[in-house]
Amino acid sequence: MVTLTKAGWLPERSIQIDHWTALLGAEGVKVHAAAAAFLAEFGGLTVENGGPGITRAREPFALDPEECVGEGDRFLDWSQDLGHQIVPVGVLDHGRFFLGLDERSELYVVEGFVSTFGPMPLAMDRLVLGVMPEAVDETAADR
Protein backbone atom coordinates (compact mmCIF):
# COMPACT_ATOMS: atom_id res chain seq x y z
CA MET A 1 0.00 0.00 0.00
CA VAL A 2 1.57 3.25 -1.19
CA THR A 3 0.23 5.40 1.66
CA LEU A 4 1.75 3.14 4.31
CA THR A 5 5.02 2.79 2.39
CA LYS A 6 5.36 6.60 2.31
CA ALA A 7 4.92 6.54 6.11
CA GLY A 8 7.80 4.06 6.50
CA TRP A 9 6.06 0.69 6.37
CA LEU A 10 7.66 -2.19 4.48
CA PRO A 11 6.58 -5.83 4.11
CA GLU A 12 8.06 -7.91 6.94
CA ARG A 13 8.59 -4.77 9.07
CA SER A 14 9.18 -5.62 12.72
CA ILE A 15 10.09 -3.19 15.48
CA GLN A 16 10.57 -3.54 19.23
CA ILE A 17 7.44 -2.77 21.26
CA ASP A 18 8.71 -3.29 24.83
CA HIS A 19 8.32 0.41 25.67
CA TRP A 20 4.65 0.40 24.65
CA THR A 21 3.97 -2.90 26.41
CA ALA A 22 5.36 -1.46 29.65
CA LEU A 23 3.54 1.84 29.22
CA LEU A 24 0.18 0.16 28.63
CA GLY A 25 0.82 -2.36 31.40
CA ALA A 26 1.24 0.53 33.84
CA GLU A 27 -2.36 1.50 32.98
CA GLY A 28 -3.62 -2.04 33.53
CA VAL A 29 -3.83 -2.91 29.82
CA LYS A 30 -2.28 -6.23 28.83
CA VAL A 31 -0.99 -6.33 25.25
CA HIS A 32 -2.33 -9.54 23.67
CA ALA A 33 -0.61 -11.38 20.79
CA ALA A 34 -2.69 -9.73 18.04
CA ALA A 35 -1.90 -6.22 19.31
CA ALA A 36 1.78 -7.11 19.74
CA ALA A 37 1.97 -8.33 16.13
CA PHE A 38 0.09 -5.23 14.89
CA LEU A 39 2.38 -2.85 16.77
CA ALA A 40 5.53 -4.69 15.68
CA GLU A 41 4.45 -4.23 12.05
CA PHE A 42 2.72 -0.84 12.08
CA GLY A 43 3.72 0.83 15.37
CA GLY A 44 5.35 4.22 15.07
CA LEU A 45 3.86 5.03 11.67
CA THR A 46 2.22 8.40 11.16
CA VAL A 47 0.05 8.78 8.07
CA GLU A 48 -0.74 12.32 6.97
CA ASN A 49 -3.90 11.32 5.15
CA GLY A 50 -6.39 13.88 3.87
CA GLY A 51 -8.98 14.61 1.23
CA PRO A 52 -12.08 12.80 0.10
CA GLY A 53 -12.38 9.09 0.74
CA ILE A 54 -14.84 6.39 -0.22
CA THR A 55 -17.56 7.02 2.40
CA ARG A 56 -15.84 9.55 4.69
CA ALA A 57 -12.90 11.94 4.55
CA ARG A 58 -9.46 10.36 4.70
CA GLU A 59 -8.02 11.44 8.04
CA PRO A 60 -4.48 11.43 9.42
CA PHE A 61 -3.60 8.78 11.98
CA ALA A 62 -0.67 7.82 14.18
CA LEU A 63 -0.10 4.24 15.25
CA ASP A 64 1.55 5.03 18.56
CA PRO A 65 0.01 3.75 21.82
CA GLU A 66 1.85 6.49 23.70
CA GLU A 67 -0.74 8.88 22.22
CA CYS A 68 -3.35 7.00 24.31
CA VAL A 69 -1.63 7.36 27.68
CA GLY A 70 -4.19 8.21 30.34
CA GLU A 71 -6.99 6.45 28.46
CA GLY A 72 -6.40 2.93 29.79
CA ASP A 73 -9.67 3.00 31.74
CA ARG A 74 -11.62 3.89 28.61
CA PHE A 75 -10.20 0.85 26.79
CA LEU A 76 -10.70 -1.43 29.78
CA ASP A 77 -14.33 -0.31 30.16
CA TRP A 78 -15.14 -0.83 26.47
CA SER A 79 -13.36 -4.18 26.54
CA GLN A 80 -15.58 -5.30 29.38
CA ASP A 81 -18.72 -3.98 27.69
CA LEU A 82 -17.94 -5.67 24.36
CA GLY A 83 -16.44 -8.88 25.69
CA HIS A 84 -13.19 -8.41 23.76
CA GLN A 85 -9.87 -7.05 24.97
CA ILE A 86 -9.27 -3.80 23.08
CA VAL A 87 -5.68 -2.58 23.28
CA PRO A 88 -4.80 1.05 22.46
CA VAL A 89 -2.74 1.24 19.26
CA GLY A 90 -2.93 4.91 18.24
CA VAL A 91 -5.02 7.92 17.36
CA LEU A 92 -7.13 9.14 14.45
CA ASP A 93 -7.54 12.74 13.28
CA HIS A 94 -4.70 14.21 15.38
CA GLY A 95 -5.94 12.60 18.61
CA ARG A 96 -9.62 13.40 18.21
CA PHE A 97 -10.34 9.66 18.34
CA PHE A 98 -8.45 6.67 19.68
CA LEU A 99 -7.68 3.46 17.80
CA GLY A 100 -7.71 0.03 19.42
CA LEU A 101 -7.24 -3.57 18.34
CA ASP A 102 -8.87 -6.63 19.88
CA GLU A 103 -7.57 -10.19 20.20
CA ARG A 104 -9.21 -11.10 16.86
CA SER A 105 -7.30 -8.29 15.09
CA GLU A 106 -10.42 -6.15 14.70
CA LEU A 107 -9.57 -2.43 14.53
CA TYR A 108 -11.81 0.00 16.42
CA VAL A 109 -12.38 3.71 16.80
CA VAL A 110 -12.77 4.27 20.54
CA GLU A 111 -14.27 7.38 22.08
CA GLY A 112 -17.57 7.84 23.96
CA PHE A 113 -18.75 5.31 21.37
CA VAL A 114 -17.08 2.44 19.52
CA SER A 115 -17.00 1.82 15.77
CA THR A 116 -15.12 -0.82 13.82
CA PHE A 117 -13.09 -0.78 10.64
CA GLY A 118 -13.36 -4.59 10.69
CA PRO A 119 -10.63 -7.22 10.84
CA MET A 120 -7.06 -6.71 9.70
CA PRO A 121 -5.82 -6.41 6.98
CA LEU A 122 -9.12 -5.13 5.53
CA ALA A 123 -9.34 -2.64 8.41
CA MET A 124 -6.11 -0.94 7.37
CA ASP A 125 -7.39 -0.52 3.81
CA ARG A 126 -10.60 1.01 5.15
CA LEU A 127 -8.71 3.35 7.47
CA VAL A 128 -6.36 4.55 4.73
CA LEU A 129 -8.96 4.82 1.95
CA GLY A 130 -11.61 6.65 3.96
CA VAL A 131 -14.32 4.08 4.61
CA MET A 132 -16.75 4.93 7.41
CA PRO A 133 -16.34 2.55 10.35
CA GLU A 134 -19.48 0.68 11.42
CA ALA A 135 -21.10 1.47 14.76
CA VAL A 136 -20.74 -1.24 17.39
CA ASP A 137 -23.73 -2.09 19.56
CA GLU A 138 -22.30 -1.93 23.08
CA THR A 139 -24.95 -4.35 24.29
CA ALA A 140 -23.70 -7.03 21.91
CA ALA A 141 -21.55 -9.04 24.29
CA ASP A 142 -21.18 -11.84 21.73
CA ARG A 143 -19.20 -9.58 19.35
Side-chain angles (χ1 to χ4, degrees), residues 34-114:
F38 178 91
L39 290 171
E41 182 174 358
F42 298 107
L45 298 181
T46 297
V47 175
E48 295 300 331
N49 231 356
I54 295 172
T55 56
R56 69 171 180 87
R58 293 181 297 121
E59 295 170 311
F61 59 93
L63 299 174
D64 181 353
E66 198 159 351
E67 298 282 334
C68 303
V69 169
E71 298 297 328
D73 287 347
R74 177 188 309 266
F75 284 88
L76 292 169
D77 289 347
W78 277 114
S79 294
Q80 184 175 5
D81 289 351
L82 298 176
H84 292 285
Q85 186 185 0
I86 304 172
V87 173
V89 295
V91 294
L92 177 63
D93 195 19
H94 303 291
R96 188 169 151 218
F97 304 105
F98 301 103
L99 295 170
L101 192 86
D102 76 8
E103 69 279 3
R104 304 164 304 164
S105 295
E106 187 166 345
L107 185 63
Y108 297 91
V109 175
V110 177
E111 196 19 77
F113 59 88
V114 175

Side-chain angles (χ1 to χ4, degrees), residues 17-29:
I17 65 164
D18 297 340
H19 171 71
W20 291 323
T21 301
L23 199 61
L24 294 172
E27 292 198 353
V29 177

